[in-house]
């Protein structure tokens, strides 16, 4: 994974005249291929080629969510402050492609004959695993990192399980938006059709109210009673919660009565921030109604570790919002979790010391008793009571393409599955259900983080570091929905959206058009 590989053509699957087709979403080489229909790729059926790639992704049990991840889409780019193109995991990859180029057969509106295009992969080096020759390859890729494992830089719940591209989709989209396009000579030699400008309906621009570190707020111009909260990552802290509250107040002052929560292309983040997010919309719920129960895996080595790191809160990051500190004992510090039996945070190490055995997915393993991240501890916000959408599911809608994961998945699970907010799923395969989110890992840890906690406790980890540059991750805490025996990480396909929308050449390129569709259907 030392390089990122991308094709100049990114693809999508809009529904045109009632039929779903594979088309070019964007041509980075600016040859006018947008919305040409893709007939074949490397001599084989184009959609079958895309589905083959999508089925190699491990982000969801839902094949339609995997299709959305494989194809191009718009995601919010915090660096640019706009929605930018993410090429998807068919056109953009972290792993070495099978061939140095792809050959496309296109059917374009202004060409009677098929158009053949062959594009080489655009290759971009990734830091810190860059290499230029054999010696630097061995040093930077084959040999283990020589840097100390601290700080344990990862988010609680963002569990990389596939190509890293999807976990960096916002950053990659922003970077690609700024890159200088290198036009491939072979692609230039192809005879492109005369491009015809897309004639798309003009939707009034949404008014941008403000953007924080994890959220951005808009108001529809043509439907000013509708506000949009786009949640593009879930590393919320107290300052972001304050920003969200202030933005909701601004929307209220501007006459907004209905809210769309947009998580299309939403990344993961801190899994334990859902209570703080949900509190802004359902403050009447008891704090314990706004947490998700989970169990942590426990072993003798982990039990010994947890005894040494109990109450190791560093007083820094752990005090920001509801996030877990990236220093100290992290998941293995019992003082950071809620003792549901005694209705307070743990005052000793009994979370890991007092274990139970569960059989999940056919496997028996030792776990802690059921616990939860600490409930929301927000200050009293009396203005919440006056908002039309507060404690009112009929005034809130969710817009998702199923790729919302981890902390984002926690938010959607609570407000949709437990509080009754209706959801709209967009994309995937026409006429088929779509999951609300892809997976909800209770807690994920990378090997370097895991071993770093043992080093923090002056203990020897039972697991050795990898002998080469790579990332190894695992689930250490599992969330199970009420009444289920299957962890939510493997259960997301059991929770489809309430309504379905198709991408088309308009709404795929205009978030305002997509928001308007939801608003018109929900609040006519």
């Amino acid at each position: 994974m030392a390089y990122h590989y991308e094709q100049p053509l990114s693809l999508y699957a809009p529904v045109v005249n009632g039929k779903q087709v594979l088309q070019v979403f964007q041509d980075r080489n600016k040859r006018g291929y947008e919305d040409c229909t893709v007939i074949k790729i490397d001599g084989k059926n184009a959609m079958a080629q895309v589905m083959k790639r999508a089925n190699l992704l491990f982000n969801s049990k839902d094949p339609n969510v995997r299709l959305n991840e494989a194809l191009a889409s718009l995601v919010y780019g915090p660096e640019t402050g706009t929605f930018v193109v993410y090429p998807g995991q068919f056109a953009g990859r972290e792993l070495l492609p099978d061939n140095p180029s792809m050959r496309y057969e296109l059917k374009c509106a202004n060409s009677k004959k098929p158009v053949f295009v062959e594009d080489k992969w655009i290759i971009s080096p990734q830091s810190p695993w860059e290499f230029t020759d054999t010696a630097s390859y061995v040093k930077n890729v084959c040999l283990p990192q020589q840097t100390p494992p601290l700080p344990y830089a990862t988010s609680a719940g963002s569990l990389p399980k596939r190509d890293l591209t999807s976990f960096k989709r916002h950053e990659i989209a922003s970077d690609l938006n700024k890159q200088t396009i290198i036009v491939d000579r072979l692609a230039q030699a192809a005879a492109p059709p005369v491009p015809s400008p897309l004639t798309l309906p003009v939707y009034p621009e949404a008014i941008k109210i403000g953007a924080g570190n994890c959220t951005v707020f808009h108001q529809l111009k043509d439907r000013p009673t509708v506000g949009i909260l786009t949640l593009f990552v879930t590393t919320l802290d107290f300052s972001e919660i304050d920003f969200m509250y202030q933005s909701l107040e601004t929307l209220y002052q501007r006459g907004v009565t209905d809210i769309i929560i947009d998580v299309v292309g939403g990344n993961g983040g801190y899994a334990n921030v859902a209570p703080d997010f949900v509190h802004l919309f359902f403050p009447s719920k008891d704090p314990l109604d706004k947490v998700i129960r989970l169990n942590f895996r426990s072993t003798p080595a982990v039990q010994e570790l947890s005894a040494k790191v109990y109450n190791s809160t560093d007083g820094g990051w752990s005090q920001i919002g509801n996030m877990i500190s990236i220093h100290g004992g992290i998941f293995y510090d019992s003082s950071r979790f809620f003792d549901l039996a005694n209705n307070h945070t743990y005052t000793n190490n009994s979370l890991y010391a007092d274990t139970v055995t569960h059989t999940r997915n056919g496997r028996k393993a030792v776990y802690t008793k059921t616990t939860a991240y600490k409930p929301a501890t927000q200050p009293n916000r009396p203005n919440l009571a006056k908002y039309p959408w507060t404690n009112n599911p009929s005034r809130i809608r969710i817009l998702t393409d199923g790729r919302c994961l981890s902390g984002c998945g926690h938010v959607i699970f609570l407000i949709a599955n437990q509080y009754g907010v209706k959801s709209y799923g967009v994309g995937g395969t026409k006429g088929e259900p779509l999951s609300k989110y892809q997976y909800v890992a209770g807690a994920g840890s990378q090997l370097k983080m895991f071993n770093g906690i043992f080093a923090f406790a002056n203990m020897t980890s039972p697991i050795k570091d990898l002998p080469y540059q790579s990332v190894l991750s695992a689930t250490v805490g599992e969330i199970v929905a009420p009444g289920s025996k299957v962890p939510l990480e493997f259960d997301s396909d059991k929770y489809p959206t309430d309504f379905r929308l198709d991408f088309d050449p308009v709404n795929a390129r205009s978030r305002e058009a997509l928001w308007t569709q939801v608003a018109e259907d929900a609040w006519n």
Side-chain angles (χ1 to χ4, degrees), residues 156-158 231 234 263 267-278 289-294 322 372-373 398 404-419 436-444 477-480 488-489:
S158 286
L231 177 65
T234 48
V263 294
N267 267 6
Y270 290 93
N272 52 319
V273 300
D276 295 279
F277 185 102
V278 171
D289 291 332
K290 294 194 284 282
V291 299
I292 301 179
R293 274 66 170 169
L294 75 160
N322 207 20
Y373 293 115
I398 297 164
C404 167
L405 74 159
S406 197
C408 177
H410 282 217
V411 169
I412 301 308
F413 177 82
L414 281 173
I415 63 177
N417 298 355
Q418 296 191 202
Y419 300 151
K436 295 184 180 79
Y437 45 80
Q438 53 177 275
Y439 75 84
V440 183
E478 296 176 358
I479 290 173
V480 178
L488 276 176
E489 180 175 355

Side-chain angles (χ1 to χ4, degrees), residues 225-517:
T225 59
V226 178
I228 298 92
L229 185 168
T230 300
L231 177 65
F232 56 88
V233 70
T234 48
T235 51
L236 307 181
D237 58 25
F238 276 154
S239 63
E240 187 75 12
I241 293 294
D242 286 341
F243 165 76
M244 290 176 60
Y245 174 63
Q246 293 162 7
S247 298
L248 290 172
E249 175 67 23
T250 300
L251 290 177
Y252 171 74
Q253 294 295 337
R254 295 176 63 92
V256 167
T257 59
D258 305 297
I259 298 290
I260 297 172
I261 299 175
D262 180 353
V263 294
V264 172
N267 267 6
Y270 290 93
N272 52 319
V273 300
D276 295 279
F277 185 102
V278 171
H279 181 83
L280 293 177
F281 293 92
F282 295 94
S284 66
K285 299 290 184 181
D286 185 90
L288 286 180
D289 291 332
K290 294 194 284 282
V291 299
I292 301 179
R293 274 66 170 169
L294 75 160
N295 308 100
F296 287 94
R297 294 289 297 271
S298 183
T299 67
V302 164
Q303 291 173 354
E304 183 181 355
L305 172 67
S306 65
K308 291 193 175 184
V309 300
Y310 173 75
N311 204 25
S312 59
T313 300
D314 65 346
W317 282 98
S318 58
Q319 302 304 310
I320 300 179
N322 207 20
M323 294 195 297
I324 284 188
S325 170
I326 60 171
H327 299 289
I330 311 181
F331 304 121
Y332 304 107
D333 180 355
S334 300
S335 69
R336 300 176 184 182
F337 297 95
F338 201 79
D339 183 345
L340 295 168
N342 297 298
N343 205 36
H344 55 64
T345 54
Y346 277 91
T347 56
N348 54 44
N349 190 46
S350 59
L351 173 62
Y352 281 94
D354 188 8
T355 60
V356 294
T357 299
H358 291 296
T359 300
R360 292 178 177 169
N361 286 356
R363 295 182 179 181
K364 185 179 292 186
V366 177
Y367 293 85
T368 68
K369 289 186 176 179
T370 303
T371 184
Y373 293 115
K374 65 179 183 179
T377 54
Q378 291 187 36
N380 182 36
R381 303 183 191 274
N383 281 5
L384 291 178
K386 67 184 181 184
Y387 301 154
W389 55 81
T390 297
N391 300 316
N392 189 351
S394 68
R395 293 293 182 183
I396 307 171
R397 290 294 185 269
I398 297 164
L399 175 61
T400 178
D401 61 356
R403 294 186 293 162
C404 167
L405 74 159
S406 197
C408 177
H410 282 217
V411 169
I412 301 308
F413 177 82
L414 281 173
I415 63 177
N417 298 355
Q418 296 191 202
Y419 300 151
V421 174
K422 299 297 183 183
S423 57
Y424 287 77
V426 63
T429 302
K430 179 178 173 59
E432 295 186 5
L434 187 75
S435 302
K436 295 184 180 79
Y437 45 80
Q438 53 177 275
Y439 75 84
V440 183
S445 178
Q446 295 182 359
L447 178 58
K448 288 191 178 295
M449 173 202 275
F450 182 79
N451 288 349
I453 303 172
F454 276 88
F456 172 79
N458 294 317
M459 292 177 60
T460 301
S461 171
I463 305 176
K464 294 181 179 180
D465 283 323
L466 295 175
Y468 50 87
Q469 286 272 31
S470 191
V471 175
L472 178 64
S473 304
T475 299
V476 296
E478 296 176 358
I479 290 173
V480 178
S484 175
K485 294 184 179 181
V486 180
L488 276 176
E489 180 175 355
F490 305 101
D491 212 20
S492 61
D493 59 332
K494 303 295 193 302
Y495 300 98
T497 59
D498 300 286
F499 307 104
R500 290 288 279 112
L501 297 172
D502 295 319
F503 278 125
D504 59 48
V506 179
N507 66 20
R509 294 184 174 93
S510 168
R511 205 55 143 244
E512 291 83 0
L514 196 54
W515 294 335
T516 299
Q517 281 185 271

Side-chain angles (χ1 to χ4, degrees), residues 46-57:
M47 183 60 83
Q49 290 283 72
V50 171
M51 291 301 300
K52 179 181 178 181
R53 168 65 181 164
N55 286 332
L56 293 176
L57 306 179

Side-chain angles (χ1 to χ4, degrees), residues 67-358:
L67 180 61
N68 279 341
E69 179 62 29
L71 295 173
S73 61
L74 294 182
V75 300
Y76 183 76
E79 293 185 2
T80 63
T82 59
F83 287 92
V84 294
V85 177
Y86 167 68
Q89 288 204 58
F90 183 81
R93 307 182 184 184
E94 303 291 331
L95 301 180
L96 184 69
D98 293 334
N99 300 300
S101 63
M102 271 191 177
R103 183 172 173 82
Y104 305 86
E105 180 182 332
L106 307 178
K107 182 180 180 181
C108 302
N110 290 336
S111 178
K112 294 182 179 180
K113 296 181 179 180
V115 177
F116 295 93
V117 180
E118 186 166 358
D119 281 335
K120 291 182 178 179
W121 291 91
I122 299 170
I123 305 173
S124 305
Q126 296 192 77
S127 179
W129 299 341
E130 298 179 18
F131 60 88
T132 56
D133 54 23
T134 302
S136 62
Y137 181 88
V138 172
K139 179 180 179 181
N140 295 335
V141 180
C142 295
L143 297 180
Q145 285 184 325
Q146 302 302 314
T147 54
L150 299 178
Y152 330 121
T154 189
S155 56
S158 286
L159 179 60
K161 298 177 61 177
R162 52 203 159 99
D163 282 11
L164 295 179
T165 306
S166 60
F167 281 84
K168 301 184 293 184
R169 61 175 73 100
H170 297 273
E171 292 81 358
I172 286 177
S174 294
D175 290 343
L176 293 177
N177 196 52
K178 295 182 294 182
Q179 283 182 8
T180 301
I181 306 303
I182 302 172
V183 180
D184 175 51
R185 290 182 181 274
L186 184 59
Q188 279 186 315
V194 177
S196 57
L198 295 173
T199 53
L200 305 178
V202 177
Y203 283 82
E205 180 183 335
I207 303 167
K208 189 175 182 179
I209 302 301
N213 294 323
C214 310
T215 56
V216 59
F217 288 78
H218 291 83
Q219 180 184 20
L220 288 180
K221 271 190 176 180
D222 59 341
R223 295 181 66 101
T225 59
V226 178
I228 298 92
L229 185 168
T230 300
L231 177 65
F232 56 88
V233 70
T234 48
T235 51
L236 307 181
D237 58 25
F238 276 154
S239 63
E240 187 75 12
I241 293 294
D242 286 341
F243 165 76
M244 290 176 60
Y245 174 63
Q246 293 162 7
S247 298
L248 290 172
E249 175 67 23
T250 300
L251 290 177
Y252 171 74
Q253 294 295 337
R254 295 176 63 92
V256 167
T257 59
D258 305 297
I259 298 290
I260 297 172
I261 299 175
D262 180 353
V263 294
V264 172
N267 267 6
Y270 290 93
N272 52 319
V273 300
D276 295 279
F277 185 102
V278 171
H279 181 83
L280 293 177
F281 293 92
F282 295 94
S284 66
K285 299 290 184 181
D286 185 90
L288 286 180
D289 291 332
K290 294 194 284 282
V291 299
I292 301 179
R293 274 66 170 169
L294 75 160
N295 308 100
F296 287 94
R297 294 289 297 271
S298 183
T299 67
V302 164
Q303 291 173 354
E304 183 181 355
L305 172 67
S306 65
K308 291 193 175 184
V309 300
Y310 173 75
N311 204 25
S312 59
T313 300
D314 65 346
W317 282 98
S318 58
Q319 302 304 310
I320 300 179
N322 207 20
M323 294 195 297
I324 284 188
S325 170
I326 60 171
H327 299 289
I330 311 181
F331 304 121
Y332 304 107
D333 180 355
S334 300
S335 69
R336 300 176 184 182
F337 297 95
F338 201 79
D339 183 345
L340 295 168
N342 297 298
N343 205 36
H344 55 64
T345 54
Y346 277 91
T347 56
N348 54 44
N349 190 46
S350 59
L351 173 62
Y352 281 94
D354 188 8
T355 60
V356 294
T357 299
H358 291 296

